[in-house]
Amino acid sequence: MLIAEDLLLLLYDDATGKPIAGSPGLDYALAGAVLIELTMQRKLDITTEGKPGRLEVLDGAPTGDPILDERLAYVVGKPGKKPKDQLGKLSKHLRDQLLARLAERGILQADQGKVLGLFPVTRWPARDARHEQEVRTRLTGVLIQGLAPDERTGALIALLSALNAVPKVVTDAVDKRALKQRAKEIAESDWAAEAVKKAVAEMQAAVTTAIVVSTAAASAGS
């Protein structure tokens, strides 16, 4: 399972099959999760010298995962860009690809329907929630019980924090403010290798920027 797949499962309601986070933040977070995964696999890095904060290709060879490889090939073709400037392109069709693959694995179910009896819509309720429950258990252990996170769990918490979605995912916390503060502390702590920490920080900033820009645009339009 990719980090992006875990993130998507957490951000879709198991019963209704609807997302609990809005666009484009959700889609940018998924793209950020893919870039973090490629960093963990030592395919990419974030530069610190020269022009800092740019995507650097360490190894352009395919990973064997078509979703990762499609995005890796894109970055290889456009090196030296800032992550925030690439998330839009990298997120294109990504959610649909992930949802379809999770349905093929029997984890989600694709329910076809119509809104107002006219407009076709697909919902994605859970079909087999065992893996998602394992992920939620790890999140609860770190955020509520105070356990140390591994890299995957730390990355998930950082992305959920950027989306301001932690209380929507970890719903059994009594103090929501303390929960959000704990998530922020995890995102900023030393739970990962330096390259991964840099990638996570860049993705957090990019997702937050995307949400702010889209909110401002929506307000201006109204």
Side-chain angles (χ1 to χ4, degrees), residues 24 111 130 166 184:
D111 284 351
R130 287 176 295 178
V166 173
K184 184 175 183 294

Side-chain angles (χ1 to χ4, degrees), residues 17-92:
K18 297 179 182 180
I20 63 172
S23 299
L26 189 156
D27 295 299
Y28 277 35
L30 293 174
V34 167
L35 291 179
I36 292 169
E37 189 101 42
L38 290 169
T39 302
M40 288 182 177
Q41 294 190 22
R42 300 295 298 157
K43 297 293 184 180
L44 300 177
D45 196 2
I46 306 295
T47 59
T48 57
E49 300 179 357
K51 294 182 177 180
R54 309 294 175 118
L55 287 169
E56 177 185 10
V57 178
L58 300 179
D59 178 7
T63 67
D65 183 295
I67 289 178
L68 293 182
D69 290 342
E70 180 180 340
R71 275 76 197 175
L72 177 59
Y74 180 83
V75 176
V76 169
K78 296 183 180 294
K81 301 289 186 180
K82 291 184 177 181
K84 70 180 182 64
D85 297 328
Q86 296 290 66
L87 289 188
K89 294 289 187 181
L90 293 170
S91 67
K92 190 174 182 180

